[in-house]
Amino acid sequence: SGVGPVTLGGLDATTPVLLVRPSHDSVVPNELIADAARAARHPRSRVFESSVGHFNLYDDGFEAASAAMADFLKDELFRKDE
């Protein structure tokens, strides 16, 4: 229990999301990330693409992935509405 299929219906189009897409992901199919990106229609939503595998995001790809996450959060949390 606790692990199951990801549903896309719960994405809120009013909230920007950051999706992390490792190009060599052996756990989450790239098609699922592409579907999620289409479902997350907020104009400030982003997809960070990495050239590593799913678990390599925590070692070889950590610096780039964490920088992308920090930039996304900084941009959204300290955003001055236009």
Side-chain angles (χ1 to χ4, degrees), residues 10 35 44 68 76 80:
D35 291 345
R44 292 192 319 268
E76 291 305 318
K80 298 202 188 309

Side-chain angles (χ1 to χ4, degrees), residues 2-79:
V3 176
V6 174
T7 60
L8 303 176
L11 285 178
D12 182 351
T14 63
T15 304
V17 296
L18 172 67
L19 299 166
V20 177
R21 179 182 178 182
S23 62
H24 302 292
D25 200 328
S26 60
V27 178
V28 179
N30 280 330
E31 298 80 34
L32 186 60
I33 301 297
D35 291 345
R38 282 189 292 279
R41 295 178 303 253
H42 193 282
R44 292 192 319 268
S45 291
R46 301 180 200 169
V47 177
F48 169 74
E49 300 203 19
S50 175
S51 62
V52 300
H54 184 92
F55 297 105
N56 299 105
L57 283 170
Y58 304 103
D59 51 44
D60 297 339
F62 183 76
E63 187 173 335
S66 60
M69 291 177 214
D71 287 345
F72 177 78
L73 289 172
K74 179 184 68 171
D75 291 349
E76 291 305 318
L77 293 174
F78 300 107
R79 179 177 170 74

